Amino acid sequence: MKLAIVTAYPPSKVTLNEYAFHLVKHFRQKETVTELILLTDKTTGLKDIQFTEAGCKITVNECWSFNSYTNLLSVTKAINKSKPDAVLFNLQFMKFGDKKIAAALGLMLPLVCKLKRIPNIVLLHNILEEVDLGSAGFTNNKLMQKLYGFIGTTLTKLILQADTVAVTIEKYVDVLEKKYHAKNIKLIPHGTFEIPEEPNYIVPTDPMQIMTFGKFGTYKKVEGMIEAVELVRKSTGLNLEVVIAGTDNPNVPGYLAKVQEDYKHVPQVRFTGYVEESEVPTLFNESTVVVFPYTSTTGSSGVLHQAGSYGKAVVMPDLGDLTHLVKDEGYEGEFFEPTSVESLAKAIEKIVTNDTYRIALGKANYKAATALPMSKIADMYLETFSTIIQDKNTPKTIIA
């Protein structure tokens, strides 16, 4: 199979680029894939396709740009030129831009593939029906929320023109089938990027590292986490370091710099900046607990799967997609009320003061992560493509 993937790809800073990297890493090792064609966004640096494992040929075509109004034409042209056997779209609603028209034009690409009878799957990482638009940083205006809802419904109908729409959370299947009467929805879990050998669950204690990882400033905010750790220090006397790993959300430039200035009086708060792929294992291995200081969620969490693969205890807000993900995939954690610093402090304290509990959570999360490695997820996509291709090649019986 000659498989094309429409996606952002490292060193891109556009969302979902890391997910694409790990998908590509495992697709290229599958015997049924003869060539991978990456139809990616344009970047100044070279695309990261240097893999050590044996695998198929990879061709990169940088054919689209964030917020460009010509992406529909340029990607279609690239598909026509490469003549793939199948196309996978790695999408969320603002994949091609945060301007409404640019985003909508890009999301018409699955329909183009359908009209050309090219087997295609959309991997849809979130659905607007399950996003709190206010908390996620879109808008608090009720009228604008209704407008976003209308736009979201329209864009979803475009995406549903794909042969199959794969979602990562069971509840998404239910919502799309009920609201849109869709018959082409399939649950394919997020999967775990890397599966290291099971850790020994020993962590540094001088200091213990309370870590969070992501792009911050919209629905991921770190002020409450810093204040919560201060409370835990006072109540326990433990030596705790706050590690804030990652960068600003592109929509909130300067957010972390302001936090760093506002909390410069608080000791042992470390901002790592952008974390290179090679630095991820050390980041997780040295952490005592991974915290998710979210006020909302917008889909399955790659960081949760990473935390699980390194056997980490996690502290999560009791809301939305994370709650569903824990239930569906077997992760465990200590939950807190999203707007309560005191609740977050109690959750962190339960883990850092009870090594037995911390290790139990870590073992449960490692087990959950190893159940769904990316190699298995890649197989699920290839099996789905095989079904689509078979269906397209089967003559339809016409009943008189």
Side-chain angles (χ1 to χ4, degrees):
M1 178 189 295
K2 192 175 178 182
L3 176 61
I5 305 177
V6 180
T7 185
Y9 195 86
S12 170
K13 297 299 186 287
V14 176
T15 184
L16 304 178
N17 71 83
E18 297 97 339
Y19 193 86
F21 173 85
H22 292 283
L23 263 184
V24 167
K25 178 178 179 179
H26 290 279
F27 271 133
R28 66 183 294 275
Q29 297 177 59
K30 302 300 180 181
E31 289 184 5
T32 55
V33 180
T34 55
E35 182 181 356
L36 281 174
I37 302 155
L38 305 185
L39 305 180
T40 72
D41 55 332
K42 298 171 184 176
T43 55
T44 53
L46 295 176
K47 292 295 191 284
D48 185 2
I49 57 172
Q50 302 304 312
F51 298 100
T52 57
E53 303 86 358
C56 73
K57 174 184 177 183
I58 299 178
T59 302
V60 177
N61 185 340
E62 295 183 327
C63 58
W64 61 273
S65 300
F66 194 74
N67 272 333
S68 170
Y69 292 102
T70 63
N71 288 336
L72 177 62
L73 296 175
S74 60
V75 177
T76 299
K77 183 178 178 181
I79 291 172
N80 290 339
K81 182 179 178 180
S82 58
K83 294 181 171 58
D85 298 312
V87 180
L88 174 64
F89 294 91
N90 180 35
L91 298 185
Q92 52 101 326
F93 284 92
M94 293 192 293
K95 182 55 173 262
F96 295 102
D98 52 16
K99 296 177 181 177
K100 299 176 184 65
I101 295 175
L105 288 171
L107 296 178
M108 291 178 69
L109 284 162
L111 174 59
V112 171
C113 283
K114 185 173 184 178
L115 293 173
K116 289 177 172 292
R117 291 187 57 80
I118 302 172
N120 64 93
I121 298 173
V122 168
L123 162 53
L124 186 59
H125 287 262
N126 59 13
I127 60 174
L128 286 187
E129 286 82 1
E130 291 298 304
V131 175
D132 183 327
L133 295 173
S135 298
F138 288 90
T139 180
N140 285 306
N141 183 289
K142 297 298 182 184
L143 185 60
M144 286 301 296
Q145 286 183 5
K146 287 184 178 180
L147 177 60
Y148 271 108
F150 171 76
I151 293 169
T153 297
T154 304
L155 295 181
T156 300
K157 289 177 179 178
L158 277 179
I159 291 169
L160 289 173
Q161 297 303 309
D163 290 320
T164 295
V165 175
V167 293
T168 58
I169 296 177
E170 182 70 47
K171 187 178 181 183
Y172 290 3
V173 178
D174 299 335
V175 171
L176 293 174
E177 288 182 344
K178 183 176 180 180
K179 179 174 178 178
Y180 299 92
H181 308 291
K183 305 296 184 185
N184 59 338
I185 313 301
K186 181 168 184 177
L187 175 66
I188 299 183
H190 181 286
T192 304
F193 291 161
E194 301 289 349
I195 307 291
E197 289 186 12
E198 185 169 6
N200 58 18
Y201 303 100
I202 298 172
V203 295
T205 56
D206 193 26
M208 290 183 179
Q209 294 183 12
I210 315 302
M211 190 268 283
T212 187
F213 186 27
K215 292 182 173 67
F216 302 98
T218 53
Y219 63 93
K220 300 178 182 180
K221 296 182 181 293
V222 298
E223 294 94 334
M225 175 178 163
I226 296 172
E227 293 168 12
V229 170
E230 282 194 285
L231 292 177
V232 179
R233 285 174 182 155
K234 290 177 182 177
S235 64
T236 65
L238 291 171
N239 184 7
L240 305 176
E241 179 184 29
V242 178
V243 180
I244 298 168
T247 58
D248 294 328
N249 183 293
N251 294 324
V252 196
Y255 167 74
L256 288 177
K258 185 177 187 305
V259 171
Q260 194 165 3
E261 175 63 25
D262 291 346
Y263 288 85
K264 62 185 179 182
H265 62 283
V266 179
Q268 290 183 282
V269 179
R270 176 159 56 95
F271 295 80
T272 71
Y274 180 75
V275 180
E276 297 288 347
E277 193 70 33
S278 60
E279 299 168 343
V280 169
T282 300
L283 176 72
F284 279 94
N285 285 328
E286 292 183 350
S287 298
T288 302
V289 60
V290 179
V291 178
F292 295 77
Y294 301 174
T295 57
S296 179
T297 58
T298 60
S300 186
S301 170
V303 178
L304 176 59
H305 291 83
Q306 285 180 295
S309 70
Y310 292 100
K312 292 296 154 181
V314 298
V315 171
M316 296 179 287
D318 189 7
L319 52 77
D321 297 338
L322 283 177
T323 306
H324 295 301
L325 189 64
V326 167
K327 180 180 177 181
D328 292 343
E329 297 187 14
Y331 287 89
E332 294 184 15
E334 189 63 38
F335 287 93
F336 69 96
E337 292 299 321
T339 58
S340 171
V341 171
E342 291 76 14
S343 177
L344 176 54
K346 288 178 182 178
I348 294 171
E349 184 171 332
K350 283 183 181 179
I351 293 173
V352 297
T353 58
N354 188 334
D355 223 34
T356 301
Y357 182 46
R358 175 185 65 80
I359 292 171
L361 289 177
K363 286 184 174 180
N365 291 339
Y366 183 78
K367 181 180 179 182
T370 53
L372 291 167
M374 289 302 287
S375 58
K376 187 172 181 178
I377 302 305
D379 283 334
M380 294 175 75
Y381 280 105
L382 293 176
E383 290 165 7
T384 305
F385 273 124
S386 179
T387 301
I388 294 169
I389 292 169
Q390 184 178 357
D391 183 61
K392 284 184 181 294
N393 292 334
T394 301
K396 297 294 185 291
T397 302
I398 299 175
I399 301 173

